């Protein structure tokens, strides 16, 4: 039994090595992204662990079949970039890590909301561009306890976000296609997304990306939102139309945005060794706005998360290889 882990970051290496030693299993790490070309490096291995936002395509799974590799264990939650039908057709079983640290992402979402609510970006802009640093009436912020927070998606991450926002005194409303049976009085479900758009001062996204919700947040929705509203996206970039978001921010349709997930994320984004400069004009424009906080899909990135992502992913590979059914099987 031997496995290979692709797109391994420097912070993952100690956990990958420890897992291999603890289980007496050979595990090879590579920093390369998994593609139809680089999968040749997996020839002779029994399973692959991987973390990336670029697609796992039909052609890639055909190469899995040609190399006799039957197991792919993702080190993340989302499977929207995986051609699951092609995986099944080529006899590849897939697992993910549905709960590596919901608290990490929820805390990050709340941090973004606090940063934007208190207009810290405007203070930073004053200091960096004008080399001035003094009190300004334009920096007057809002307490979280004065605001209504709309949570879209009440899975593990969304529920932790609700607890944190509630702890700061916010009124929380939520929408989910599959609502929980009980809210324990912590928040109120609404019947449609329109209510979230129109009533929320802060909207925080904790939902998977699907074909149905691609560009859910577009010009029409931004027009419905309050002009003092803040959008937080620590979920998936495809949910938000980036060009429409930029227009909404520039025109004052909404007040701010915390963006940790971008449309069309490149492999370089998750390559800890990459030195490539940002060239995407939309990303550059967003990064220069004082009412935006932009981060490289790093809301998950805590020591607890990294450890759990590696450990659970490798455990799932071992379980599949031994012929058992893992709890995290994606079907």
């Amino acid at each position: 039994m031997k496995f290979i882990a692709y797109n391994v970051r420097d912070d993952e290496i100690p956990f990958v090595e420890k897992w291999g030693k603890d289980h007496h299993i050979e595990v090879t790490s590579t920093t390369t992204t998994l593609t139809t070309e680089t999968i040749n490096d997996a020839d002779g291995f029994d399973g692959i662990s991987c973390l990336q936002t670029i697609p796992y395509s039909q052609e890639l799974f055909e190469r899995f079949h040609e190399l006799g590799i039957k197991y792919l264990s993702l080190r993340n939650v989302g499977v929207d970039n995986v051609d699951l039908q092609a995986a099944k057709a080529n006899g590849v079983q897939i697992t993910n890590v549905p709960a590596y640290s919901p608290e990490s992402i929820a805390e990050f979402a709340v941090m973004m909301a606090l940063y934007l609510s208190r207009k810290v970006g405007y203070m930073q802009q004053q200091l960096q561009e004008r080399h001035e640093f003094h009190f300004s009436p334009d920096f007057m912020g809002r307490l979280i306890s004065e605001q209504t927070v709309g949570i879209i998606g009440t899975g593990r991450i969304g529920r932790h976000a609700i607890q944190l926002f509630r702890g700061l005194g916010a009124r929380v409303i939520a929408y989910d296609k599959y609502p929980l049976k009980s809210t324990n009085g912590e928040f109120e479900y609404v019947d449609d997304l329109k209510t979230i758009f129109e009533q929320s001062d802060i909207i925080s996204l904790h939902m998977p990306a699907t074909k149905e919700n691609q560009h859910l947040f577009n010009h029409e929705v931004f027009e419905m939102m309050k002009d003092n509203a803040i959008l937080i996206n620590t979920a998936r970039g495809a949910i938000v139309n980036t060009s429409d978001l930029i227009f909404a921010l520039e025109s004052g349709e909404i007040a701010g945005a915390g963006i940790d997930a971008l449309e069309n994320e490149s492999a370089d984004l998750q390559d800890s060794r990459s030195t490539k400069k940002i060239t995407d004009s939309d990303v550059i424009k967003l990064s220069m706005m004082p009412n935006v906080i932009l981060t490289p899909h790093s809301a998950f990135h805590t020591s607890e998360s990294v450890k759990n992502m590696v450990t659970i992913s490798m455990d799932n590979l071992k379980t599949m290889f031994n012929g058992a059914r893992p709890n995290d099987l994606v079907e």
Side-chain angles (χ1 to χ4, degrees):
M1 184 190 315
K2 61 178 184 176
F3 303 133
I4 182 170
Y6 277 82
N7 205 25
V8 175
R9 301 185 311 272
D10 292 343
D11 53 50
E12 293 180 299
I13 292 173
F15 298 112
V16 173
E17 292 178 347
K18 184 178 186 302
W19 188 92
K21 290 178 182 177
D22 290 346
H23 292 82
H24 307 289
I25 294 173
E26 179 184 343
V27 183
T28 296
S29 296
T30 176
T31 61
T32 57
T33 303
L34 180 60
T35 67
T36 52
E37 290 78 29
T38 62
I39 195 175
N40 293 328
D41 296 335
D43 191 9
F45 286 86
D46 299 303
I48 294 174
S49 170
C50 196
L51 169 65
Q52 62 191 44
T53 55
I54 66 171
Y56 299 85
S57 64
Q58 176 181 333
E59 292 76 17
L60 179 62
F61 287 116
E62 289 172 354
R63 291 292 294 134
F64 266 77
H65 181 72
E66 291 168 5
L67 294 171
I69 300 171
K70 301 177 181 178
Y71 313 114
L72 171 63
S73 183
L74 308 181
R75 300 195 299 278
N76 62 292
V77 181
V79 295
D80 54 288
N81 57 331
V82 182
D83 189 333
L84 296 175
Q85 187 173 2
K88 184 176 181 179
N90 285 281
V92 180
Q93 290 187 326
I94 297 176
T95 60
N96 66 346
V97 184
Y100 42 81
S101 178
E103 302 91 339
S104 298
I105 298 172
E107 283 187 8
F108 202 87
V110 174
M111 177 277 293
M112 285 182 149
L114 286 165
Y115 177 100
L116 293 162
S117 292
R118 298 304 298 271
K119 297 191 175 180
V120 177
Y122 290 93
M123 303 177 200
Q124 292 295 303
Q125 183 187 62
Q126 180 195 73
L127 180 62
Q128 293 167 2
E129 292 186 359
R130 301 203 300 267
H131 303 291
E132 298 174 359
F133 198 51
H134 55 76
F135 168 81
S136 168
D138 295 334
F139 299 161
M140 185 173 70
R142 301 183 66 195
L143 293 171
I144 297 295
S145 59
E146 293 179 336
Q147 303 184 64
T148 294
V149 176
I151 301 290
I152 304 181
T154 55
R156 294 179 180 91
I157 299 168
R159 293 199 299 272
H160 278 287
I162 288 169
Q163 291 173 5
L164 292 172
F165 279 116
R166 282 275 296 164
L168 291 169
R171 170 186 176 236
V172 179
I173 58 176
Y175 176 82
D176 197 304
K177 287 179 67 176
Y178 308 100
L180 302 169
K181 293 181 179 178
S182 173
T183 66
N184 295 319
E186 294 180 351
F187 64 98
E188 171 193 348
Y189 273 120
V190 297
D191 295 330
D192 53 58
L193 284 167
K194 188 171 183 285
T195 304
I196 296 283
F197 302 150
E198 294 179 343
Q199 292 190 13
S200 302
D201 300 294
I202 298 169
I203 297 177
S204 191
L205 307 184
H206 303 288
M207 59 201 293
T210 64
K211 291 181 180 178
E212 290 72 26
N213 66 28
Q214 183 172 9
H215 286 181
L216 170 66
F217 281 81
N218 53 31
H219 180 62
E220 181 181 351
V221 168
F222 290 128
E223 283 190 319
M224 277 191 262
M225 291 168 62
K226 295 181 178 183
D227 59 11
N228 67 347
I230 292 168
L231 176 66
I232 307 295
N233 185 9
T234 56
R236 287 297 197 196
I239 300 170
V240 179
N241 183 312
T242 304
S243 59
D244 287 357
L245 172 64
I246 291 172
F247 179 84
L249 290 163
E250 291 180 332
S251 66
E253 284 180 346
I254 66 172
I259 305 298
D260 186 56
L262 293 159
E263 282 193 272
N264 306 314
E265 292 178 353
S266 68
D268 295 317
L269 187 70
Q270 291 183 333
D271 182 354
S272 61
R273 294 179 174 85
S274 176
T275 58
K276 288 188 177 180
K277 302 295 183 182
I278 296 171
T279 57
D280 187 302
S281 59
D282 285 343
V283 175
I284 293 171
K285 186 174 291 187
L286 285 167
S287 72
M288 297 176 69
M289 293 183 179
N291 55 342
V292 172
I293 178 169
L294 188 66
T295 53
H297 212 133
S298 55
F300 76 95
H301 200 199
T302 63
S303 56
E304 179 190 9
S305 289
V306 174
K307 176 184 177 182
N308 290 342
M309 291 165 73
V310 169
T311 302
I312 296 171
S313 173
M314 301 309 299
D315 285 347
N316 283 335
L317 278 180
K318 182 180 177 183
T319 299
M320 288 188 289
F321 180 84
N322 287 331
R325 179 185 175 87
N327 294 328
D328 304 319
L329 190 66
V330 176
E331 297 180 288

